């Protein structure tokens, strides 16, 4: 280990601009800038930048130093120190360089009569390799190639000839090193080419077929043969093909051709390949015809073997064609192209598809869409949020589609109308809107209008049965807004709220199922601005449940009606009718879930419906439920305690009970309890015949309704 000198106050300066450059596999040149007052320079060398590895290499009075007898492919580190008056300056920064690489184990092997493969051991960090060739081992070598990998195929050589190779290496830090030892190989003697493999024929058009094959060893060129049958005879198509493909042209459409290939060299023609075949296409013949202002029909003749057809369109005859549709085999050979511009010429080509292959395109055909009649569309602003459109009626048009845009293009559909007028609402103030109206017979026109100046744009949205939410756009410099409401679009309107620092308000405690109209005006505390558009909304309709009703006869004069509980019910109204489809009259209401209908006629059917009352709204009447009052039982012994009908006859009016007189002649009295007797004495019924001889019959009856005994 060498300890570098420590500079004193009187020492010379430090060497700068120090460099190290490898000059070959065994030599490195170290250079630096001259130091003023330096008498000599000490050069130190090491195998790493660590100062402890540095050893004094030599002393020189020059500003360079040749370090020789080094190892190839080795990195060395250098530091230089200036000396003057036996005083050492500061050591320089260290520099490093790597001696040149050496290429080892170069090999060469003949692959054919015209090709030799050369390879060698890869050198670490090598950026490239230079390959040199000579016809004699010890004579001048000529650079033939540069490669980034340690392999090289030398092609196009003379057969049966020796070739010698040397390789040199370089990288980004050093110059190229020494040439390697040579390696040699002899190309093989020439012979007839073998049979070409993988011959393929592909149809290009109705008159052209492309033939390709694998390259053949020892073949300088190729002969191509063609036939109309698999077994020939084959005719020579071309005898001087220098590559491995050929396009055969001038063929007959819709014809199958067979091809064979043979390799050729100076020794002659080699074996023929297996055959390859292809069939020329049929060129489609197309026609185009306009069918409306926005559609053109393209048709063509059907082509044998085609699996489908592709239709292409262009704006010019020889421009770029874009696919617009397909038609599958078996379908009618025509295509309707729609959505086109009126009075415009379009060009079309049709091509047949054969599974994954594409046939020949037809010649271009064209058609021009019809010119539509004009609608004379007008657009007029009615308010900051409304524009009215009017246009002329067009003969043959059943309706009109209206489109809108904020620029002259990119229209969006907004309505379909049968009249010739439309008011477009809900627009933004101070905005230009473009409109396009298209009649059902494809006539169309465009126009534009600008909505009126900036005012609040108001929207109204129903929230529930009693509230509507209002939202509006802000107006510049406005921090308050007055809200007006009416039950009619044409007013009168009443101010209901002044809203500060907000653009929304919820109007509550409204009537359900009612339409309310609103407008908003900006307010600065002194002046009220222009009113907004009129917005309206309808409060929601309450949803009231309908009960399920049942009826049951309790006796001869009462029926009990029951039903299920309905959420939100304040009470229940009960209706009755003598027929199922008759007029139902209200007979009562209750908060309970049942109702007893009394004082009814016996043996009579009654029909009932029940409706829910919420305290504000009445729901629908339920489905009818019915019951029949019971029939009274006739007594077997109409004596004391009996019931039923008693027929009283006589010639004058008698008092049947105190305060209740009735004729007795041919009168029928319906009673619940009957007791018979004479002169205030009650007898069993079997004595009635005897009592009747007196001409007087006393009946004690309890009548149902007026309860008179």
């Amino acid at each position: 280990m060498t300890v570098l000198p420590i500079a004193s106050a009187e020492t010379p300066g430090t060497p700068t601009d120090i460099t190290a450059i490898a000059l070959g596999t065994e030599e490195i040149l170290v250079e630096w800038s001259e130091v003023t007052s330096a008498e000599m320079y000490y050069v130190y060398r090491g195998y790493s930048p660590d100062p402890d590895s540095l050893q004094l290499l030599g002393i020189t009075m020059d500003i360079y130093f040749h370090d020789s007898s080094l190892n190839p492919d080795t990195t060395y580190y250098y530091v230089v120190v200036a000396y003057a008056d036996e005083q050492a300056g500061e050591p320089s920064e260290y520099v490093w360089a790597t001696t040149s690489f050496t290429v080892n184990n170069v090999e060469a092997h003949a692959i054919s009569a015209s090709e030799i493969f050369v390879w060698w051991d890869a050198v670490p960090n090598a950026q490239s390799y230079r390959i040199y060739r000579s016809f004699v081992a010890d004579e001048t070598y000529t650079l033939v190639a540069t490669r980034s990998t340690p392999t090289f195929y030398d092609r196009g050589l003379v057969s049966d000839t020796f070739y010698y190779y040397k390789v040199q290496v370089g990288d980004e830090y050093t110059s190229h090193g020494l040439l390697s030892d040579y390696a040699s190989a002899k190309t093989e003697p020439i012979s007839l080419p073998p049979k070409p493999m993988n011959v393929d024929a592909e149809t290009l058009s109705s008159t052209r077929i492309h033939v390709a094959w694998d390259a053949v060893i020892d073949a300088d060129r190729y002969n191509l043969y063609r036939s109309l049958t698999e077994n020939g005879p084959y005719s020579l198509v071309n005898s001087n093909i220098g590559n491995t493909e050929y396009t055969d042209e001038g063929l007959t459409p819709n014809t199958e051709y067979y091809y064979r290939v043979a390799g050729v060299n100076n020794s002659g023609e080699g074996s023929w390949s297996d055959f390859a075949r292809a069939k020329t296409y049929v060129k489609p013949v197309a026609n185009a015809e306009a069918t409306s202002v926005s559609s053109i029909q393209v048709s063509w003749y059907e082509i044998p073997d085609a699996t489908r057809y592709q239709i292409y369109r262009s704006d010019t005859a020889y421009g770029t064609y874009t696919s617009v549709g397909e038609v599958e085999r078996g379908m009618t050979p025509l295509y309707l192209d729609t959505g086109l511009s009126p009075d415009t010429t379009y060009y079309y080509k049709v091509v047949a598809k054969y599974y994954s292959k594409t046939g020949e395109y037809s010649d271009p055909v064209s058609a021009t869409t019809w010119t539509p009649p004009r609608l004379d569309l007008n657009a007029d602003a009615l308010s900051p949020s409304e524009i009215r459109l009017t246009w002329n009626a067009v003969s043959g048009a059943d309706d009109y589609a209206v489109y809108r845009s904020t620029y002259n293009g990119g229209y969006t559909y907004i309505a379909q109308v049968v009249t010739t007028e439309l008011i477009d609402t809900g627009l933004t103030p101070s905005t230009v809107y473009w409109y396009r109206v298209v009649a059902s017979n494809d006539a169309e026109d465009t126009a534009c209008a600008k909505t009126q100046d900036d005012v609040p744009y108001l929207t109204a949205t129903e929230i529930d049965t009693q509230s509507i939410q209002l939202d509006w756009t802000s107006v510049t410099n406005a921090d308050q807004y007055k809200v007006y409401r009416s039950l009619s679009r044409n007013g009168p309107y009443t101010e209901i709220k002044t809203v500060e620092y907000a653009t929304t308000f919820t109007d509550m405690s409204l009537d359900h199922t009612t339409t309310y109209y609103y407008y908003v005006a900006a307010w600065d505390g002194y002046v009220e601005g222009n009113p907004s558009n009129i917005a309206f909304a309808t409060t929601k309709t309450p949803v009231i449940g309908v009960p399920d009703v049942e009826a049951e006869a309790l006796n001869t004069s009462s029926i009990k009606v029951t039903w299920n509980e309905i959420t939100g019910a304040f009470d229940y109204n009960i209706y009755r009718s003598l027929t199922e489809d008759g007029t139902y009259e209200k007979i009562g209401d209750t908060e309970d879930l049942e109702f007893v209908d009394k004082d009814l006629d016996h043996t009579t059917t009654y029909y009932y419906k029940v409706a829910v009352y919420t305290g504000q709204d009445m729901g629908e009447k339920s489905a009818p439920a019915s019951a029949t009052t019971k029939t009274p039982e006739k007594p077997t012994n109409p004596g004391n305690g009996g019931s039923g009908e008693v027929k009283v006859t006589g010639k004058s009016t008698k008092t049947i009970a105190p305060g209740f007189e009735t004729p007795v002649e041919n009168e029928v009295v319906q009673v619940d309890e009957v007791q018979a007797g004479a002169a205030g004495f009650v007898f069993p019924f079997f004595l009635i015949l005897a009592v009747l001889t007196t001409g007087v019959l006393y009946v004690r009856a309890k009548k149902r309704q007026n309860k008179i005994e």
Side-chain angles (χ1 to χ4, degrees):
M1 180 183 71
T2 298
V3 179
L4 296 177
I6 299 177
S8 66
E10 305 298 330
T11 57
T14 302
T16 59
D17 299 328
I18 184 169
T19 60
I21 301 174
L23 301 180
T25 59
E26 298 179 345
E27 184 178 8
I28 292 176
L29 171 64
V30 183
E31 295 181 302
W32 56 90
S33 297
E34 183 177 5
V35 176
T36 303
S37 75
E39 298 175 351
M40 64 188 68
Y41 301 92
Y42 281 41
V43 181
Y44 296 84
R45 183 183 69 194
Y47 292 96
S48 75
D50 186 354
D52 291 341
S53 70
L54 298 176
Q55 299 288 336
L56 179 62
L57 177 62
I59 301 173
T60 179
M61 298 178 65
D62 299 320
I63 55 174
Y64 60 87
F65 187 85
H66 283 273
D67 190 12
S68 57
S69 300
L70 302 176
N71 295 322
D73 192 17
T74 303
T75 300
Y76 295 91
Y77 296 82
Y78 299 90
V79 170
V80 178
V81 178
Y83 271 82
D85 297 330
E86 298 183 358
Q87 297 295 325
E90 292 285 349
S92 69
E93 294 181 351
Y94 72 84
V95 294
W96 58 278
T98 302
T99 51
S100 299
F101 296 112
T102 302
V103 178
N104 297 313
N105 299 322
V106 180
E107 299 285 346
H109 177 73
I111 296 178
S112 67
S114 62
E115 184 176 11
I116 292 176
F117 177 54
V118 183
W119 72 97
W120 54 91
D121 290 347
V123 176
N125 302 319
Q127 301 298 310
S128 63
Y129 302 93
R130 294 183 178 182
I131 300 92
Y132 297 83
R133 183 180 67 201
S134 175
F135 291 103
V136 181
D138 297 326
E139 291 191 1
T140 302
Y141 283 76
T142 302
L143 177 67
V144 294
T146 300
R147 293 290 183 270
S148 60
T149 59
T151 58
F152 171 63
Y153 286 91
D154 197 10
R155 297 184 174 95
L157 305 177
V158 178
S159 62
D160 199 24
T161 302
F162 271 105
Y163 290 90
Y164 297 84
Y165 299 90
K166 290 184 178 183
V167 180
Q168 185 185 45
V169 69
D171 63 22
E172 61 179 318
Y173 304 113
T174 66
S175 61
H176 288 82
L178 300 176
L179 291 174
S180 68
D181 295 335
Y182 72 81
S184 66
K186 184 180 181 181
T187 53
E188 297 178 355
I190 198 167
S191 60
L192 289 177
K195 169 183 174 181
M197 304 299 290
N198 297 323
V199 180
D200 178 68
E202 180 181 7
T203 304
L204 298 181
S205 70
S206 59
T207 59
R208 301 162 63 237
I209 291 177
H210 179 263
V211 185
W213 56 91
D214 291 347
V216 175
I217 296 174
D218 295 336
D220 297 329
R221 60 193 183 278
Y222 299 91
N223 292 342
L224 177 66
Y225 297 86
R226 180 183 67 212
S227 174
L228 293 176
T229 64
E230 176 182 345
N231 297 320
Y234 284 84
S235 300
L236 182 65
V237 176
N238 194 309
S239 62
N240 191 29
I241 302 174
N243 51 31
T244 57
E245 60 180 350
Y246 182 80
T247 298
D248 194 14
E249 301 180 344
L251 304 176
T252 302
N254 197 29
T255 303
E256 193 165 48
Y257 292 92
Y258 295 80
Y259 296 90
R260 293 179 184 270
V261 181
V264 180
N265 59 23
N266 294 335
S267 298
E269 181 183 80
S271 299
W272 281 13
S273 69
D274 295 333
F275 73 85
R277 64 183 175 185
K279 187 176 182 180
T280 50
Y281 295 136
V282 178
K283 185 176 182 178
V285 178
N287 180 61
E289 180 182 5
T291 56
S292 73
V293 298
S294 62
S295 60
I296 292 176
Q297 179 176 283
V298 182
S299 59
W300 58 91
Y301 293 110
E302 203 164 359
I303 297 176
D305 304 328
T307 57
R308 66 185 189 280
Y309 304 91
Q310 194 92 20
I311 298 86
Y312 294 83
R313 183 182 68 208
S314 175
D315 294 332
T316 61
Y318 301 102
T320 300
Y321 283 79
T322 303
S323 174
V324 293
E326 279 191 350
V327 174
E328 296 293 331
R329 178 172 60 187
M331 300 179 65
T332 303
L334 59 84
Y335 176 79
L336 184 64
D337 193 16
T338 60
L340 306 176
S341 299
D343 194 24
T344 303
T345 300
Y346 294 90
Y347 296 83
Y348 296 88
K349 288 183 179 181
V350 178
V351 63
K353 298 282 188 175
Y354 303 84
Y355 296 102
S356 61
K357 294 184 178 181
T358 300
E360 186 173 5
Y361 290 84
S362 70
D363 292 332
V365 294
S366 65
T368 302
T369 50
W370 299 346
T371 302
R374 301 296 295 180
L375 299 178
D376 292 330
L377 176 64
N378 290 311
D380 298 300
L382 299 181
S383 71
S385 63
E386 297 174 308
I387 291 177
R388 179 174 59 196
L389 305 176
T390 58
W391 59 90
N392 293 334
V394 177
S395 177
D398 298 325
D399 52 32
Y400 304 87
V402 183
Y403 301 83
R404 182 180 65 208
S405 175
T406 53
Y407 64 97
N408 192 11
Y411 289 92
T412 301
Y413 170 84
I414 60 172
Q416 192 89 12
V417 296
V418 296
T419 62
T420 57
E421 180 179 2
L422 173 71
I423 296 178
D424 191 16
T425 61
L427 305 178
T428 302
S430 305
T431 302
V432 175
Y433 289 92
W434 283 86
Y435 294 90
R436 176 173 173 243
V437 176
V438 181
S440 58
N441 65 352
D442 292 331
E444 65 175 83
D445 203 356
T446 57
C448 68
K450 182 179 180 181
T451 50
Q452 296 177 3
D453 292 337
D454 184 23
V455 293
Y457 174 66
L458 177 64
T459 60
T461 306
E462 73 275 13
I463 302 300
D464 51 33
T465 60
Q466 293 184 296
S467 58
I468 292 175
Q469 179 173 312
L470 304 178
D471 298 279
W472 58 90
T473 58
S474 61
V475 174
T476 304
N477 299 324
D479 54 10
Q480 299 182 66
Y481 300 88
K482 289 188 175 184
V483 181
Y484 293 83
R485 182 181 68 200
S486 175
L487 290 174
S488 169
R489 183 181 184 89
N490 296 324
Y493 286 82
T494 303
E495 180 181 349
I496 60 171
K497 182 71 174 178
T498 298
V499 179
E500 296 184 353
Y501 307 110
T503 56
T504 184
F505 169 68
T506 300
D507 194 9
M508 298 182 291
S509 300
L510 304 175
D511 293 334
H512 67 80
T513 322
T514 303
T515 300
Y516 292 87
Y517 296 84
Y518 301 88
Y519 72 82
V520 175
W523 171 253
D524 63 2
Y526 301 96
V527 179
E528 183 174 310
N530 292 327
S532 71
N533 59 298
I534 295 175
F536 63 91
T538 302
T539 50
K540 295 183 179 179
T541 300
V543 178
I544 303 174
V546 179
D548 295 325
V549 180
E550 295 182 356
E552 176 187 7
L554 299 179
N555 49 44
T556 60
S557 62
S558 61
I559 292 175
K560 182 169 72 172
V561 184
T562 60
W563 54 88
N564 60 302
E565 184 177 3
I566 300 298
T567 302
F570 178 77
D571 61 17
Y572 303 88
N573 289 2
I574 301 90
Y575 301 84
R576 183 181 67 202
S577 175
L578 289 175
T579 61
E580 181 176 1
D581 298 324
T583 301
Y584 285 80
E585 296 182 356
K586 180 178 176 181
I587 60 173
D589 56 69
T590 179
E591 296 180 359
D592 300 326
L593 300 180
E594 63 178 33
F595 178 83
V596 177
D597 192 12
K598 301 177 182 179
D599 299 328
L600 304 175
D601 292 336
H602 70 80
T603 321
T604 303
T605 300
Y606 293 88
Y607 295 85
Y608 298 90
K609 292 184 178 181
V610 178
V612 173
Y613 179 63
T614 65
Q616 183 180 8
D617 301 293
M618 183 68 68
E620 295 182 6
K621 293 184 179 68
S622 68
S626 64
T628 303
T629 52
K630 296 182 179 180
T631 302
E633 297 180 359
K634 293 183 179 181
T636 56
N637 179 5
N640 292 341
S643 64
E645 294 179 351
V646 176
K647 185 173 184 181
V648 181
T649 61
K651 297 181 179 180
S652 62
T653 300
K654 299 295 183 179
T655 298
I656 294 180
F660 181 50
E661 294 182 353
T662 184
V664 297
E665 183 176 5
N666 298 325
E667 177 72 4
V668 177
V669 180
Q670 177 71 40
V671 297
D672 289 336
E673 298 179 8
V674 178
Q675 289 182 328
F681 295 95
V682 179
F683 297 96
F685 188 72
F686 66 86
L687 296 177
I688 290 179
L689 294 177
V691 174
L692 288 177
T693 60
T694 66
V696 178
L697 171 65
Y698 292 91
V699 178
R700 186 180 184 185
K702 181 181 289 184
K703 195 166 179 61
R704 285 185 314 224
Q705 294 183 357
N706 42 26
K707 298 182 181 178
I708 297 176
E709 293 186 351

